[in-house]
Amino acid sequence: MKILFVASECVPFSKTGGLADVVGALPKVLAARAHEVSVFLPRYRVTPPGRVVIARLTLPLGSRVHHPAVQQGPKLDGVRFFFLEYPPYFDRENLYVDNGK
């Protein structure tokens, strides 16, 4: 089965609450059960940049049109990560990152 998670945070990339822990753990369990799992997240300032896979999306939101990019992040524990790059919404520092230190 192909499964896509879309969330605002995920350990180890960003964390403000419990959602990050769930999105960090559940995809790994599903990937270990032979599912093809991807996670789609915002790319905050604390998230390392990845390889651009879509340079410009067109997203109409309300009366405005936005043009974010999509970056491919690492593959961790069988889970592929993708990031939405849009600095007007996501370029902020107030996220905790658990980098193992």
Side-chain angles (χ1 to χ4, degrees):
M1 181 180 295
K2 294 182 179 184
I3 302 168
L4 174 65
F5 286 82
V6 179
S8 59
E9 59 186 50
C10 175
V11 169
F13 303 105
S14 56
K15 178 176 169 70
T16 59
L19 174 65
D21 296 319
V22 173
V23 178
L26 183 55
K28 291 179 190 178
V29 172
L30 294 170
R33 294 183 178 191
H35 297 291
E36 185 179 322
V37 183
S38 298
V39 178
F40 197 85
L41 303 162
R43 192 179 93 69
Y44 298 110
R45 186 179 300 170
V46 296
T47 308
R51 181 177 62 86
V52 174
V53 292
I54 300 174
R56 182 180 163 119
L57 288 175
T58 299
L59 293 177
L61 295 173
S63 62
R64 298 191 50 159
V65 176
H66 303 272
H67 299 285
V70 176
Q71 297 180 359
Q72 184 173 347
K75 186 171 185 178
L76 304 172
D77 298 313
V79 179
R80 293 173 28 180
F81 289 89
F82 295 91
F83 300 99
L84 187 69
E85 169 78 28
Y86 194 62
Y89 284 0
F90 307 126
D91 187 20
R92 57 187 188 183
E93 296 181 36
N94 60 341
L95 295 167
Y96 166 76
V97 177
D98 181 4
N99 59 10
K101 294 181 182 176

